[in-house]
Amino acid sequence: MFAVPSIIYIAHLKNMLDTPNVRTVHESLTPRLGGVAVFAGFMSALTIFADLSNGIQQLLAGCIVLFFVGLKDDLVSISVSKKFVGQLLATGVVMIMADIRVTSFQGILGIHELPIGISYAFTFLAIVGITNAINLIDGLDGLAGTIVLIITSTYGYYFARYGGAGYGNYVFVSVCLIGGMLGFLRYNFHRASIFMGDTGSLVCGFIVSILTIQFIEMGLKVGGPFASSSPAVAIGILFVPLFDTLRVFIVRMMAGRSPFSPDKNHVHHRILAMGFQQISTVMLLGLLNLVVILFVINFATLGNTLLIGALVAFSILISIFLGVYQSRSAQQRVAS
């Protein structure tokens, strides 16, 4: 919270500002180095207070790699391939050095324990996928920060209650990220005086991905409240960023474009087009994520297959609604 005003001052002084374009919602030059403050708060608190065993030391190493990748992208812009190399390196550190990986599907599609090669491959896809899902949803003032806050608070509660010796210290990771995010959100809600930038979204996405994997593994090894349903519960906790990412990728591919080609087709863009303001859109998506989290927590006894089926069905319903509304809006514009 104390770092952000200094970063805003330096960014304006050195003209390190994000210029509005056809894809962005903001209308004025705005600094995009808020991730530096989030990282500073998170890193200082965690290294002072936390027990760095059980893979947290390697998690910090991965965060440092992605911090510099994101910082360079925010300052001078880098290619997608260089970003990917940074994510590959950070993921390799936590997978190989700390052995943080998804070891079992816990009965999804009848699959239980994974062969070591498939375990590494799936874990890599999960970490990169979740990291980029958080990166992609960072399109409105306060949106990514609010979603990360909700997800991290949920994980933190269950690590504190059920983590024990194997996973209990991940509550420090959760709480320190919550602290860093609260200090940043003070300046990031509409009208934002600073953005998170790739520095923040890549680091936050990476931390969330590691918390997700450890939450799933905690269900397998500790049992906890969800036991074998923990993969489906984790998908529900990540609902908004995962749904948004999968939806835009499918829409782009159906239109014959690259899934990575940027556009204004994200869920928050569609809700804004309905006439909602930025703050109400952020609150609506945050509420949606909370409702889905409460659903998967309360119905965890249904098991992975039924829970994931329900989430997919709900996603399809929302997509149909957004598509129908969009086509009606286009018809009205043509008629007028």
Side-chain angles (χ1 to χ4, degrees), residues 311-332:
L311 292 173
V312 169
F314 185 51
S315 302
I316 292 169
L317 283 173
I318 298 174
S319 297
I320 291 169
F321 171 74
L322 291 173
V324 168
Y325 191 92
Q326 185 180 1
S327 60
R328 281 184 179 175
S329 299
Q331 287 171 3
Q332 288 170 358

Side-chain angles (χ1 to χ4, degrees), residues 47 66 84 90 118 133 148 158 173 228 230 236 243 249 256 293 303 327-328:
T47 50
L66 288 178
F84 182 76
I118 294 173
V148 167
Y158 286 106
V173 178
S228 61
S230 55
F243 165 67
F249 277 18
I293 289 171
S327 60
R328 281 184 179 175

Side-chain angles (χ1 to χ4, degrees), residues 25 140-143 146 185 188-192 268 271-272 275-287:
V25 177
L140 289 185
D141 295 349
L143 178 57
T146 301
L185 281 173
N188 184 238
F189 261 101
H190 190 67
R191 290 183 172 262
H268 50 269
I271 295 173
L272 284 174
F276 286 88
Q277 300 300 312
Q278 284 207 45
I279 291 177
S280 51
T281 302
V282 171
M283 293 300 158
L284 187 63
L285 287 171
L287 182 62

Side-chain angles (χ1 to χ4, degrees), residues 138-176:
D138 185 25
L140 289 185
D141 295 349
L143 178 57
T146 301
I147 297 297
V148 167
L149 206 58
I150 291 168
I151 292 168
T152 311
S153 300
T154 308
Y155 285 145
Y157 171 77
Y158 286 106
F159 283 127
R161 282 289 302 275
Y162 305 99
Y167 300 94
N169 60 338
Y170 277 88
V171 72
F172 286 97
V173 178
S174 304
V175 172
C176 292

Side-chain angles (χ1 to χ4, degrees), residues 18-59:
D18 191 43
T19 308
N21 56 50
V22 293
R23 289 190 296 107
T24 56
V25 177
H26 68 286
E27 297 169 354
S28 58
L29 293 166
T30 309
R32 52 181 306 201
L33 294 171
V36 174
V38 175
F39 182 74
F42 167 77
M43 196 77 173
S44 56
L46 195 65
T47 50
I48 292 167
F49 296 109
D51 172 8
L52 301 182
S53 62
N54 298 335
I56 292 182
Q57 184 181 351
Q58 289 77 14
L59 165 63

